[in-house]
Each structure stands twice: as structure tokens, then as C-alpha cells.
Amino acid sequence: MNEVLLRSLTPSVLGILVRRGADFAAAEDAVQDALVEAVRAWPSEAPRDPKGWLITVAWRRFLDATRADTARRRREDLVDEQPAPGPAPSVDDTLQLYFLCAHTSLTPSSAVALTLRAVGGLTTRQIAQAYLVPEATMAQRISRAKRTVSGVRFEQPGDVATVLRVLYLVFNEGYSGDVDLAAEAIRLTRQLAAAIDHPEVAGLLALMLLHHARRAARTAADGSLVPLAEQDRGRWDTESIAEGVEILQAALARDRLGEFQAQAAIAALHADAPAAEETDWVQIVEWYDELARLTDSPVVRLNRAVAVGEADGPRAGLAALAALDDSLPRHSAVAAYLHERDGDLATAARMYAEAAAKAPNLAERDHLTRQAARLNALRSR
């Protein structure tokens, strides 16, 4: 079963149902039912027209639900409106759906969660991990959001800042998760940048390009993670780096700094260093200070502690880390790294093992486990 194909078709099918008159919540339920049916009916090979198949099944699911609903009489004119035969229209509604999900009737966090689930195709578990909340809490949040946008139509667009947040989270899931959504997030952000003249849209596009440029070097042949300092910089995509830097410089010149521009500036400093030891950590700390001022995010302060450890020494990094809640994701991994840099191999090995037990994915768990084993081997010599 081609999961990537299904995910790529979901926004278009959802958009067609909404344009045909389905409210968003009912359309999303019908599309999800169609996807489940596709998994059952396409065990080895997709039909000749996968999109048309999904539209037909989803529309029938919507009609079945409508007939049983109290609004049946209001929707009777839709009953006989089956999708036209032949190839489905090639209209890309994805970005429009992002704006629909970012409707002003929703809180930003609910809007992001709804978009990731309905349009991005992420599971409730994946979204809960991104938000650092229990899966049950996220399921309730998404259900409330779907009820809130029932009846909302395309002519009622949502908030640009929320759409940017969604695109950022989709990119991050595609960059580090199980399903490749990064290229799709870049494509949609390019569309948004072409439509909206906004420095933060440009900043997000630059950030994505700069991170994506390093993707080929992030894993070894066996699939294991390669830390930034150990990556083969010859494998970085220099064209994407150059494009990202150019976009970022133009955005920064407008003197309307936002969090995505600040993150892109940090990524650009990493990309600019010919070797890891030549990284300008002092400037990176300064940009993290700006980013912390803009976001007041504990995750930003966690990353800042690493940068401080590189710029001013591991003990300075540990002092910065001490001010943060040790329950933060990857706190143990950062502490392990700084303790290793400070020469405390026993503490570092123990904390790498702790971090491995909390790792959000298999690749990261394996990397941290290997780090703990490496230090334990050094101590036993």
C-alpha cells in the first residue's frame, strides 16, 4: 500500500468535497473513511485513477452520512450529484485548505493540530508528540476543532501566522519523522511566498531550504544518524544553501525580524562554516538570544545551552541548562553531550542511556544508545 500516494492525494480530494458543498468536518470524516477503504482495497496496486477512486468513495461516504443526519432535507439536492466520470481535475487546493483550517474561530494550537491531521495526514500520536501533550488530549483538541469549523467555507480564510506554524511543523515531521513531508512543505511555502510579500514567509522558506540542504548527510549508509559536527559537508546541497541565504538576506534587510528569520540565520551560520570547528558559535548564541526574546520557548533555551557550551565552554553550557526544566524533550541528551565535553564520562554515559530511553524515534534512540556504549567502552579501558 502506497502511503505516500494516499497522503499526497488527501488535500485535493478534501478540497473537491468542500467545493461540492460538504462542510469541512463532514468532508474530512468522509475522506478518512475513503483512505481506510483504499488501504483495504489496494493491497498491492493502486487503481488506474487513484484520485478519482478516492473522490467517488469519499463522496459516497459523505452522502451516506448526510442521509442519516438531521440536515438531510437541506442537502437533498446533493444526493444525485455523483463525481463526473473520467480523470479527476488536477486542482491543487492544499494551500487553500491550510488557510481554511487556520480559521479565526480556532485557537492557533487547535488550527495547527487540525491541519496536520486533516491535510498533512499526520496521526494523532505524531501531532501529540510535536505538541508535547498526551495523545488523548490531542484527540479531544482535534475533535473540538472539527466541530468548530463545521460549515466554514473557502471564502473565510484564516491567519497567515498559523499557516506558517503548520507548514513549519509539517516540514519538521517530514525532515525527522517516518513519513517524508518535507518536500511538500517546501513546495507549499514557495507558493505562499509567491502570493504574499511577508518577511516571515520568506524566513520560513529560507529556513526550510537551509535545513533540507543538509538532508543527504544526516544519515549514514546503514540509516544511523550523523550529528551535524560529523557530517560530510561535501554532500550538502550548495544550490539550496545559496538560495536560502539569498532569501534570508532579503528578508532581514526589511528590518521586521521574526522567529523564522532568526532560526534561518542560525541555520545559515552553520551552513557557512567550511568545517564544524570553524562555526561562529558566538554569533549563533546572539541569534538564540534574539529567538528566545521572540518566542520565550524552553526548547529554544535548550538549544541555546548547547551553543553557549560551544562558545564559552561546557561548564557555561551546563549552567545555562541548569535553569531549564529537566523534563524537557532531549534535555538528557544535551546534558550528556555537555558532560562529555567537560570530561565527566560516567555522568555522560548514564545520561545518554536515559536520553535513549526517552527518544521519540528509533534512529535517535539507536544513536544515543551507541553514544552511551562508546563512553562506557572508553571508561573500561
Side-chain angles (χ1 to χ4, degrees), residues 280-357:
D280 190 343
W281 287 106
V282 173
Q283 269 205 74
I284 288 176
V285 171
E286 291 172 356
W287 276 111
Y288 270 122
D289 288 339
E290 289 286 352
L291 189 55
R293 178 182 62 80
L294 289 165
T295 66
D296 194 30
S297 164
V299 175
V300 168
R301 297 186 185 280
L302 185 69
N303 291 329
R304 179 185 176 276
V306 176
V308 169
E310 299 289 354
D312 301 325
R315 294 195 178 182
L318 287 166
L321 188 65
L324 302 176
D325 186 344
D326 61 10
S327 66
L328 276 172
R330 298 186 172 89
H331 185 285
S332 297
V334 171
Y337 174 74
L338 292 171
H339 278 294
E340 180 184 357
R341 294 259 342 266
D342 195 39
D344 187 352
L345 301 188
T347 300
R350 175 175 56 80
M351 301 206 78
Y352 274 130
E354 289 180 8

Side-chain angles (χ1 to χ4, degrees), residues 44 67 79 95 128 141 156 199 208 244 246 249 309 331 342 348:
S44 58
R67 293 187 187 99
V79 171
L95 196 56
R141 184 180 300 177
Q156 300 173 294
M208 289 178 174
E246 182 180 359
Q249 288 174 338
H331 185 285
D342 195 39

Side-chain angles (χ1 to χ4, degrees), residues 22 162 191 242 260 352:
T162 303
Q191 285 187 12
F260 294 121
Y352 274 130

Side-chain angles (χ1 to χ4, degrees), residues 18 22-24 100 103 105 148-157:
V18 172
D23 69 58
F24 184 86
L100 177 63
H103 194 259
S105 60
T148 300
V149 298
S150 294
V152 170
R153 298 299 181 90
F154 276 112
E155 62 269 17
Q156 300 173 294

Side-chain angles (χ1 to χ4, degrees), residues 24-343:
F24 184 86
E28 201 271 336
D29 286 342
V31 172
Q32 292 300 323
D33 286 345
L35 294 176
V36 171
E37 180 65 15
V39 171
R40 187 194 66 77
W42 307 355
S44 58
E45 184 178 353
R48 183 178 305 173
D49 181 11
K51 182 177 176 181
W53 190 97
L54 285 171
I55 292 169
T56 300
V57 174
W59 187 250
R60 287 171 179 165
R61 291 291 189 276
F62 166 70
L63 293 179
D64 287 344
T66 299
R67 293 187 187 99
D69 192 79
T70 57
R72 177 182 57 80
R73 285 186 299 274
R74 181 172 62 85
R75 301 184 188 275
E76 280 181 348
D77 58 325
L78 301 176
V79 171
D80 296 325
E81 229 180 279
Q82 295 291 340
S90 58
V91 177
D92 186 357
D93 292 314
T94 307
L95 196 56
Q96 201 168 14
L97 285 167
Y98 273 59
F99 275 94
L100 177 63
C101 291
H103 194 259
T104 52
S105 60
L106 295 173
T107 64
S109 61
S110 293
V112 172
L114 177 62
T115 314
L116 292 174
R117 181 70 186 93
V119 188
L122 275 65
T123 65
T124 303
R125 178 184 57 79
Q126 288 171 315
I127 302 168
Q129 288 176 345
Y131 270 89
L132 313 180
V133 299
E135 184 174 348
T137 299
M138 184 53 64
Q140 292 175 354
R141 184 180 300 177
I142 293 171
S143 294
R144 286 195 299 269
K146 287 169 62 176
R147 288 195 298 270
T148 300
V149 298
S150 294
V152 170
R153 298 299 181 90
F154 276 112
E155 62 269 17
Q156 300 173 294
D159 175 57
V160 174
T162 303
V163 172
L164 289 178
R165 176 64 50 192
V166 175
L167 288 168
Y168 175 64
L169 288 174
V170 170
F171 175 81
N172 282 340
E173 185 62 39
Y175 191 68
S176 62
D178 300 327
V179 179
D180 186 0
L181 297 171
E184 173 69 359
I186 291 173
R187 183 183 72 84
L188 292 173
T189 306
R190 284 192 189 278
Q191 285 187 12
L192 190 59
I196 299 176
D197 182 21
H198 193 294
E200 271 294 83
V201 177
L204 179 58
L205 179 56
L207 175 64
M208 289 178 174
L209 290 170
L210 289 163
H211 277 308
H212 206 60
R214 302 199 302 259
R215 187 167 190 180
R218 290 184 69 243
T219 54
D222 62 359
S224 60
L225 291 180
V226 180
L228 177 60
E230 300 172 18
Q231 289 177 15
D232 177 0
R233 298 182 180 223
R235 299 183 66 196
W236 290 1
D237 182 348
T238 55
E239 289 186 8
S240 292
I241 291 173
E243 183 186 3
V245 168
E246 182 180 359
I247 292 170
L248 173 63
Q249 288 174 338
L252 291 175
R254 301 178 65 175
D255 199 25
R256 291 168 56 193
L257 183 64
E259 64 172 294
F260 294 121
Q261 295 169 74
Q263 287 191 61
I266 293 169
L269 286 166
H270 283 298
D272 187 55
E277 56 271 16
E278 298 179 59
T279 304
D280 190 343
W281 287 106
V282 173
Q283 269 205 74
I284 288 176
V285 171
E286 291 172 356
W287 276 111
Y288 270 122
D289 288 339
E290 289 286 352
L291 189 55
R293 178 182 62 80
L294 289 165
T295 66
D296 194 30
S297 164
V299 175
V300 168
R301 297 186 185 280
L302 185 69
N303 291 329
R304 179 185 176 276
V306 176
V308 169
E310 299 289 354
D312 301 325
R315 294 195 178 182
L318 287 166
L321 188 65
L324 302 176
D325 186 344
D326 61 10
S327 66
L328 276 172
R330 298 186 172 89
H331 185 285
S332 297
V334 171
Y337 174 74
L338 292 171
H339 278 294
E340 180 184 357
R341 294 259 342 266
D342 195 39

